[in-house]
Amino acid sequence: MAAGWLAAILNSCGCRPDPMSTLLSVLPPALASFLEALTLGAGYNAALVGIGAALLGGSAGAAGTFLFLRKRTLVSDAIAHATLPGVGLAFMIMVAFGGSGRSLVGLLIGSALSAGLGLLAVTAITRRTRLAEDTAIGAVLSVFFGFGIVLLTVIQVMDRGRQAGLEGFLLGSTAGMLFADALLIAAGGALCALLILLFRRPLTIVCFDPGYAEATGISVTRMDAVMLGLVLAITVIGLKLVGLILIVALLVIPPVTARFWSERTGTVAVLAGVFGALAGYVGSAISASSPNLPTGPIIVLVGVGLFVLSLLVAPRRGVLASAVAHRRFQHKVHLRQGLLALAHGEPIHDRLTLRVLARAGYLRADRQPTEAGRAEAARALLDENRWRIARQLHPQEAVTGRYDGLTGIAEVLTADEIASLDRHLGPKAAGA
Amino acid sequence: MTSPSLELVASDTSGQSDARDRVAALALSEMTVSYGGKPAVFSVEARIPEGAMAAIIGPNGAGKSTLLKATLGIIPRLSGRVEVFGVPLARARHRIAYVPQRASVDWDFPTTVEDVVLMGLSRELGLLGFVRSRHRQFAAACLDRVGMADFASRQIGQLSGGQQQRVFLARALAQRADLYLLDEPFAGVDAATERAIVDVLKSLKDEGRTVVCVHHDLATVTDYFDHCLMINLRKIAEGPVASTFTEANLQATYGGRLAGGHLEQLRLPA
């Protein structure tokens, strides 16, 4: 069982025969069973769940990207909560017609219908009344969820209700997942991915600039319907695995995580799919490695882990990168201020300015400027004077609009242009 | 429609006699748009001749942008008909390019300058098409025309306001339209950008295309435009700038809001 593809790879690089079982025997049991699940070695059912969760996470991340960019992520929460009455009613109808009520397809059709109704309610309230969308979401979410809980309570006291396992739809459960269920998730996920690929351009334009989209002939209403239809489909498919309370996390967290790493919509969508798939796969492996860990919450926690990591270390948009960039910028400002103060012979009191100047070698320990400091201060003053003249002479030019107190004028103007500025400055200033 | 002055009636008929023979690039009739029970634009009609460089002018809140958006179907209209080159709007969308107000989008959106310009090719690419190198070259040419060729790979939030406006114009150029509708293209841009945009618009006119701008700066109307539509809830006047942009019409459009000093600076046509 433990062999899996990892073992095959290890074997092919000339390691000892069956190193996987050796490796697993020396690890703590929890970690060993996690590794087993991760390499699809924890049994047929766990492998099904892992692959299904990865596909679901991937399509949820990609579809969620457009929801996120359209600034309508919370609509997915209303959709998810609105599935519950459908689950309950579908169960009751199936039981009334003599079935067991546990057919997943039947329950999902019911949930899709009531989620669709919830979505229509949000749209109608937003369009027909003066209420804002967030209010409509709050109202629809609580009414549908409340009604759903009432239905579940009623079902609990029914004869067949006790074994129905409907509460698994709240937080997700993989217990008793069938091959057909996994196939349904896989097929649904693949179909969603295909639709996203097909509509990526109009969806992007509608998210970025709905007015322009409408003017170009792309119907915003229709594209919103495509986007929310995808979200609805993913919510319904993911109900069994992640549960309706947490499915919104799978739609929101991967796109937000991916946004840290890219400045292009296509890349953000692909990365969100990758992060979602990773969270689904690793999360379900962790959940499968221990009998009492719920699948949905673990998947979400893995997703949050990726988010926090990205928040911290992502280049440019990450917290650390921004802090470093801010510090660098602050030092640049203090250096320039300090040099200008030196040039004007003004006393410097700011501690950071003193430190920056000293570190650059422009200030001695007794706070007197060094030779290099004097020269650099004169250069800064000359630069400042040239900017002043340039801005007086050409207030309307775009290049003079680039004055920010830090950019050297030589980066903006040619040597000839600077020479002509120096003629206006007079011989004394220019010679400094 | 009742006209505010006799002089206006005269100029209107003379302006339309030769225009009537040709198909108008943009013809609006009985356009009414309202926000929550209060009309913002009331029964406005307009007939912008093909090849014109037209300004829609009027005071703040007069309904200029609203008229433009309702024309394009971005906001619903209560009544009215829009014809573009003699056919209903729905059949002429491919001949229209729209440049929205800069403030209408989120500039932190994950997209590059090139991606924005490529949006102008969405109709040509369809759902199944892939962006190929010739599309990128064309986008680069559009960017070059507005002086933004060096910025293709920048995220759009890193641009100045004027640069953002030029990228929007480049996206419209990529559509190779016959009618360009711009919503306040000169609002809040630097002088260099204003010159660059005017040059591009004049070159479009020279190619025989029609340009319509919502415009707020009365001082530049006579320099930039040859046709103007003056509105303040209703249409006040429309026609060639030379005969329409008069003190009487300005007073009728702006009410008491234009002081004598302002009018003197406008170099109004005699």
Side-chain angles (χ1 to χ4, degrees):
Chain A
M1 282 301 270
W5 55 267
L6 186 57
I9 293 170
L10 289 173
N11 274 331
S12 71
C13 28
C15 303
R16 279 179 296 155
D18 200 11
M20 197 65 190
S21 53
T22 328
L23 176 70
L24 290 175
S25 64
V26 295
L27 289 170
L31 189 58
S33 55
F34 169 60
L35 267 182
E36 235 178 359
L38 205 58
T39 54
L40 298 180
Y44 175 65
N45 206 29
L48 268 187
V49 172
I51 293 171
L55 280 166
L56 176 72
S59 47
T65 300
F66 294 101
L67 204 58
F68 160 61
L69 293 176
R70 189 94 171 86
K71 299 183 171 49
R72 295 184 71 183
T73 42
L74 272 184
V75 180
S76 66
D77 214 14
I79 292 176
H81 281 76
T83 56
L84 194 57
V87 172
L89 285 174
F91 178 83
M92 290 166 131
I93 290 171
M94 284 189 285
V95 168
F97 281 92
S100 74
R102 298 178 68 171
S103 148
L104 184 62
V105 175
L107 295 174
L108 293 192
I109 289 173
S111 70
L113 289 178
S114 79
L117 199 66
L119 181 56
L120 286 181
V122 171
T123 316
I125 292 173
T126 315
R127 278 219 193 130
R128 306 257 171 247
T129 71
R130 295 191 175 204
L131 296 174
E133 194 177 42
D134 60 333
T135 319
I137 289 169
V140 167
L141 182 154
S142 46
V143 168
F144 276 73
F145 189 64
F147 182 48
I149 291 290
V150 169
L151 287 177
L152 284 203
T153 319
V154 172
I155 290 169
Q156 282 296 310
V157 298
M158 282 167 59
D159 274 348
R160 303 201 192 172
R162 260 170 232 125
Q163 292 90 36
L166 291 189
E167 56 296 334
F169 282 90
L170 291 178
L171 287 172
S173 102
T174 54
M177 193 156 136
L178 304 172
F179 179 70
D181 303 349
L183 209 62
L184 183 73
I185 293 177
L191 188 68
C192 290
L194 200 69
L195 284 174
I196 293 165
L197 197 66
L198 195 62
F199 286 106
R200 65 195 188 283
R201 262 195 301 266
L203 280 174
T204 306
I205 296 176
V206 166
C207 290
F208 174 58
D209 193 346
Y212 174 80
E214 198 74 60
T216 323
I218 300 170
S219 161
V220 174
T221 319
R222 226 170 286 163
M223 279 305 124
D224 274 348
V226 167
M227 179 180 80
L228 293 171
L230 278 168
V231 167
L232 195 149
I234 287 162
T235 307
V236 167
I237 295 166
L239 272 190
K240 177 84 176 133
L241 201 61
V242 190
L244 64 91
I245 295 180
L246 287 174
I247 188 79
V248 58
L250 222 47
L251 287 160
V252 176
I253 296 172
V256 179
T257 309
R259 181 67 184 93
F260 281 112
W261 299 93
S262 174
E263 299 283 10
R264 300 187 68 179
T265 310
T267 317
V268 170
V270 168
L271 280 178
V274 170
F275 288 140
L278 202 63
Y281 189 63
V282 175
S284 62
I286 293 175
S287 147
S289 66
S290 167
N292 289 321
L293 289 178
T295 318
I298 299 291
I299 290 176
V300 170
L301 285 180
V302 173
V304 170
L306 290 170
F307 167 75
V308 172
L309 192 72
S310 306
L311 173 80
L312 291 176
V313 305
R316 294 234 291 275
R317 292 183 81 90
V319 170
L320 292 179
S322 329
V324 168
H326 177 76
R327 215 179 129 78
R328 229 177 249 156
F329 179 71
Q330 194 181 22
H331 280 204
K332 220 173 142 188
V333 170
H334 278 266
L335 183 67
R336 182 75 170 198
Q337 283 174 342
L339 286 173
L340 288 177
L342 284 184
H344 291 120
E346 292 161 358
I348 302 169
H349 301 293
D350 188 285
R351 282 235 196 94
L352 182 58
T353 309
L354 291 170
R355 209 163 63 226
V356 169
L357 285 174
R359 201 183 303 159
Y362 297 150
L363 217 54
R364 293 200 309 247
D366 60 356
R367 296 195 178 179
Q368 288 307 305
T370 62
E371 204 50 50
R374 251 187 274 275
E376 194 60 32
R379 258 199 295 277
L381 183 63
L382 175 61
D383 199 52
E384 203 63 23
N385 285 332
R386 283 169 172 167
W387 269 116
R388 186 169 46 79
I389 297 294
R391 275 149 54 87
Q392 276 171 9
L393 293 178
H394 314 286
Q396 298 288 306
E397 292 293 332
V399 280
T400 53
R402 286 182 57 189
Y403 174 75
D404 55 8
L406 292 174
T407 310
I409 200 161
E411 293 171 38
V412 179
L413 297 182
T414 62
D416 290 349
E417 289 168 325
I418 291 174
S420 85
L421 287 180
D422 287 348
R423 280 194 289 281
H424 287 274
L425 267 177
K428 191 174 150 241
Chain B
M1 291 286 306
T2 51
S3 303
S5 71
L6 279 173
E7 167 196 312
L8 174 65
V9 175
S11 68
D12 249 3
T13 45
S14 68
Q16 273 180 7
S17 58
D18 64 303
R20 205 167 274 148
D21 311 331
R22 284 180 291 156
V23 172
L26 180 65
L28 308 177
S29 48
E30 281 131 30
M31 290 281 289
T32 298
V33 189
S34 92
Y35 290 116
K38 190 176 175 297
V41 170
F42 195 84
S43 199
V44 166
E45 55 182 359
R47 207 183 147 79
I48 306 213
E50 192 172 348
M53 179 99 160
I56 301 175
I57 52 182
N60 286 333
K64 305 185 293 287
S65 291
T66 304
L67 178 67
L68 197 64
K69 284 183 191 152
T71 298
L72 287 161
I74 297 169
I75 53 176
R77 47 181 186 267
L78 277 182
S79 74
R81 233 179 28 253
V82 179
E83 279 193 1
V84 176
F85 298 109
V87 299
L89 173 73
R91 285 201 277 132
R93 287 223 183 256
H94 61 285
R95 299 185 71 180
I96 304 175
Y98 169 56
V99 179
Q101 279 184 21
R102 199 157 42 82
S104 65
V105 305
D106 169 15
W107 291 94
D108 192 40
F109 197 88
T111 192
T112 61
V113 167
E114 184 189 44
D115 289 340
V116 172
V117 179
L118 286 171
M119 285 178 193
L121 293 175
S122 68
R123 181 178 285 272
E124 186 180 327
L125 287 163
L127 287 184
L128 297 170
F130 283 90
V131 174
R132 301 187 189 283
S133 64
R134 66 188 160 89
H135 298 122
R136 289 183 198 288
Q137 281 163 13
F138 180 62
C142 294
L143 279 172
D144 192 45
R145 209 164 155 190
V146 297
M148 290 290 292
D150 296 339
F151 295 82
S153 57
R154 289 270 189 104
Q155 195 270 330
I156 50 167
Q158 297 166 7
L159 306 177
S160 72
Q163 291 169 336
Q164 291 172 344
Q165 190 68 61
R166 287 195 242 178
V167 172
F168 266 5
L169 182 58
R171 176 176 69 175
L173 291 177
Q175 288 177 251
R176 282 173 287 200
D178 297 311
L179 171 61
Y180 285 79
L181 301 174
L182 300 89
D183 198 348
E184 303 246 9
F186 307 114
V189 303
D190 54 282
T193 296
E194 180 154 344
R195 259 201 320 267
I197 293 176
V198 168
D199 287 347
V200 171
L201 296 184
K202 289 200 164 148
S203 74
L204 287 173
K205 181 189 153 60
D206 293 343
E207 293 166 14
R209 300 169 206 268
T210 313
V211 177
V212 180
C213 292
V214 168
H215 192 62
H216 66 292
D217 183 9
L218 294 179
T220 50
V221 170
T222 44
D223 282 346
Y224 296 169
F225 300 99
D226 55 27
H227 187 95
C228 74
L229 169 66
M230 302 166 83
I231 63 167
N232 189 353
L233 182 63
R234 288 164 167 273
K235 183 187 96 174
I236 308 296
E238 193 205 352
V241 167
S243 56
T244 314
F245 194 66
T246 59
E247 184 174 341
N249 284 337
L250 277 167
Q251 288 295 7
T253 310
Y254 285 80
R257 273 182 268 189
L258 281 186
H262 283 122
L263 288 169
E264 276 164 34
Q265 290 166 14
L266 293 182
R267 288 176 289 132
L268 294 172

